[in-house]
Amino acid sequence: GKESQKEILEAHLRILTEYANREGFQIAGVTLEIGPGLLDRDGLDEILNAAENGKMDYVLIIEYSRLFRGDLDTGLDYLDKLKSLGVQVLCMDENESKLMEEIKEKRYTISGKLLKEFSEELRKAESEWEEEVELEEEKDGLLEEMMG
């Protein structure tokens, strides 16, 4: 039969607790979020506040989708924020962990590459613009000569 939300959460909690015990982690707190809401993410705020107050070194999650709820960019920014506070996110799903590492790496190479292309485009535009200005000045000079 279909597991109830409660049973699923209990199973998740069991997995996370067992992992923490196995690693010798002390559990500083547990946050549960139910439902798909992206706007009201009290759990995420709770975690961030705890991180800012130096309450923990790790955040254990079942899967990244629980953290992101479909919004990859916001999720990645959130991970960056935790990382800058010295908090590491550990995901129980190994495949997801690997995928996430790839995404995190690619995220910066992607934006790095785009940034490079963008600044090259900008430079090109600037030099073209300078050339145009020079042409304008030459043209004005020629006109003066012809008219003069």
Side-chain angles (χ1 to χ4, degrees), residues 34-132:
I34 300 167
L38 252 180
L39 292 173
D40 188 23
R41 302 293 307 268
D42 290 340
L44 289 186
D45 293 341
E46 229 176 276
I47 292 170
L48 207 52
N49 288 337
E52 281 166 352
N53 295 316
K55 294 266 170 68
M56 79 285 203
D57 304 300
Y58 298 97
V59 174
L60 306 185
I61 58 173
I62 287 287
E63 51 198 17
Y64 280 103
S65 53
R66 302 253 145 200
L67 190 63
F68 290 3
R69 303 282 169 86
D71 185 356
L72 189 61
D73 249 354
T74 308
L76 289 171
D77 287 341
Y78 184 80
L79 287 182
D80 282 345
K81 216 178 279 178
L82 285 178
K83 193 178 170 188
S84 70
L85 294 166
V87 175
Q88 199 185 337
V89 174
L90 300 175
C91 180
M92 301 299 105
D93 183 324
E94 263 182 47
N95 291 336
E96 274 208 6
S97 284
K98 284 188 194 124
L99 186 67
M100 202 60 226
E101 287 312 307
E102 269 179 44
I103 289 174
K104 280 197 285 199
E105 276 172 32
K106 286 207 176 74
R107 184 187 192 199
Y108 293 106
T109 51
I110 288 167
S111 40
K113 189 166 166 258
L114 282 179
L115 214 63
K116 214 174 128 219
E117 283 177 13
F118 183 63
S119 51
E120 278 168 13
E121 285 293 310
L122 269 180
R123 272 203 303 274
K124 216 164 67 186
E126 272 176 20
S127 60
E128 279 171 13
W129 182 70
E130 280 169 10
E131 278 169 25
E132 276 177 23

Side-chain angles (χ1 to χ4, degrees), residues 5-17 27 29-37 40-47 59-62 66-67 69:
Q5 183 90 17
K6 186 169 174 286
E7 285 169 329
I8 292 170
L9 288 173
E10 280 170 358
H12 283 177
L13 200 53
R14 204 163 46 242
I15 292 167
L16 293 167
T17 309
I27 298 172
V30 174
T31 178
L32 290 177
E33 283 196 339
I34 300 167
D40 188 23
R41 302 293 307 268
D42 290 340
L44 289 186
D45 293 341
E46 229 176 276
I47 292 170
V59 174
L60 306 185
I61 58 173
I62 287 287
R66 302 253 145 200
L67 190 63
R69 303 282 169 86

